[in-house]
Amino acid sequence: MNPSRQQSKLQEAKAEVLSLLKILSDKVDLERKLGVNYLQLDPIIKNNISQEEEMISQQPVPESVCDNLDTYNEDTKVELSKSEKIEALSKLEEQVKKCTKCELCNNRTNVVFGTGDQDADLMFVGEAPGYYEDEQGEPFVGKAGQLLTKIIESIGLKRSDVYIANILKCRPPDNRNPNANEIVMCSPHLIRQIEIIRPKIICALGTFAAQTLLDTKETIGKLRGKFFEYQSTKFLATYHPAYLLRNPGDKKKVWTDIKKVRDFLQE
Ligand code: URA
């Protein structure tokens, strides 16, 4: 190979390595900001890694990578009284209402922070506000929201007994799926809400909430109806009510899932 061809091959290889490193670094940043404070390794690599190396990979994340969460990390280890929870959430809501960390702030009518009992045992997490939620500043007030209310009532609770929030607090244009940057910027708000409320169980509604909180690409069909833990809180995912409006045949599955939540709360 002539020297100039060799040089250009070398440049191409360097560019490829740099681009792979950038992808890897973006992934690690995203996971850290979503609260994952250890390296998640591919199962094959993980099986091969020695225990000693694994302990090193589980060292706490240095402060500097948690910049996004800095303002939210006070009080997280202490269980707050109901009035302290109300106060902490209201302070957080004031901050979130001013949030301009992603471009969704430009087109919002309202920030949709969350609603319900600040001391709830059960917290529902959806995807993002839609048209009506953006108009009214409250989550799940459209058709899907009416179905969610029925789901909640089917286990003997009222909407005001639970807390309802979304991964994103602002409406994505045309209800498109949230993008990675929006999730990274917005999820610290939800993480802090969960830390303050400390529900006994989180019920994720739909693919997006389930995959984001469990940090997986597994389908909702596989994830639903099973108990997981999210940061030491019991976690169960089910289909999103908007999906049920399009696929009413799957309502029975949600009924099965929500009964598990009810039984867990009654234990
Ligand atoms: N869908 C969601 O995921 N959240 C809402 O608030 C409304 C519809």
Side-chain angles (χ1 to χ4, degrees):
M1 202 187 287
N2 71 42
S4 80
R5 175 124 177 78
Q6 208 170 9
Q7 188 64 24
S8 99
K9 279 264 169 215
L10 195 64
Q11 294 294 354
E12 272 173 34
K14 265 190 192 166
E16 199 170 330
V17 170
L18 284 175
S19 125
L20 286 172
L21 282 174
K22 171 89 176 67
I23 293 169
L24 187 63
S25 130
D26 288 350
K27 182 178 184 300
V28 171
D29 273 356
L30 173 66
E31 286 174 350
R32 280 173 171 164
K33 284 172 179 165
L34 288 171
V36 179
N37 63 357
Y38 52 88
L39 279 176
Q40 295 211 315
L41 299 172
D42 182 287
I44 299 166
I45 303 173
K46 196 168 178 149
N47 288 341
N48 289 334
I49 203 167
S50 73
Q51 282 214 326
E52 203 178 319
E53 282 169 308
E54 194 167 5
M55 276 168 65
I56 295 167
S57 76
Q58 291 184 3
Q59 294 296 313
V61 184
E63 288 289 318
S64 58
V65 301
C66 297
D67 287 350
N68 230 5
L69 305 168
D70 271 359
T71 47
Y72 300 144
N73 276 341
E74 320 121 24
D75 305 331
T76 50
K77 306 232 160 37
V78 193
E79 167 85 60
L80 303 175
S81 67
K82 176 151 186 176
S83 62
E84 287 168 334
K85 288 183 184 185
I86 293 173
E87 198 188 327
L89 283 171
S90 130
K91 271 195 203 156
L92 179 63
E93 185 168 3
E94 285 318 304
Q95 292 179 28
V96 178
K97 277 183 176 162
K98 291 184 227 144
C99 180
T100 55
K101 285 187 172 163
C102 80
E103 67 282 6
L104 294 183
C105 66
N106 297 324
N107 295 313
R108 70 184 173 219
T109 315
N110 284 294
V111 166
V112 181
F113 179 70
T115 188
D117 182 0
Q118 298 88 342
D119 201 21
D121 288 340
L122 170 57
M123 178 165 177
F124 286 94
V125 178
E127 180 174 323
Y131 175 83
Y132 294 104
E133 290 76 21
D134 174 64
E135 286 282 301
Q136 296 178 38
E138 194 174 318
F140 284 97
V141 289
K143 281 213 167 114
Q146 288 161 21
L147 184 51
L148 176 61
T149 306
K150 285 190 185 155
I151 294 169
I152 294 167
E153 289 172 353
S154 77
I155 54 168
L157 296 172
K158 299 189 290 296
R159 246 178 103 101
S160 56
D161 293 326
V162 304
Y163 196 87
I164 307 172
N166 285 308
I167 304 270
L168 294 195
K169 308 304 184 204
C170 298
R171 182 188 181 212
D174 304 318
N175 298 343
R176 64 154 170 74
N177 285 342
N179 68 36
N181 179 55
E182 291 154 5
I183 300 165
V184 168
M185 293 305 159
C186 209
S187 52
H189 305 321
L190 177 70
I191 292 168
R192 184 64 184 139
Q193 282 174 300
I194 297 171
E195 284 172 352
I196 295 169
I197 296 164
R198 288 229 201 158
K200 292 207 171 93
I201 183 162
I202 294 169
C203 182
L205 299 166
T207 308
F208 184 76
Q211 290 186 342
T212 304
L213 290 171
L214 293 177
D215 188 29
T216 175
K217 291 268 172 284
E218 197 55 273
T219 62
I220 186 69
K222 292 245 170 70
L223 296 172
R224 60 152 280 272
K226 295 179 194 141
F227 285 109
F228 294 93
E229 295 235 320
Y230 168 80
Q231 310 265 322
S232 324
T233 302
K234 212 65 164 178
F235 181 102
L236 186 137
T238 192
Y239 288 125
H240 194 287
Y243 164 87
L244 286 187
L245 292 172
R246 299 189 302 271
N247 301 276
D250 275 339
K251 280 187 184 172
K252 270 190 201 145
K253 293 184 185 160
V254 172
W255 171 233
T256 310
D257 299 343
I258 202 72
K259 275 196 293 182
K260 290 187 185 170
V261 171
R262 178 196 66 191
D263 295 346
F264 169 77
L265 288 170
Q266 287 173 355
E267 259 169 29

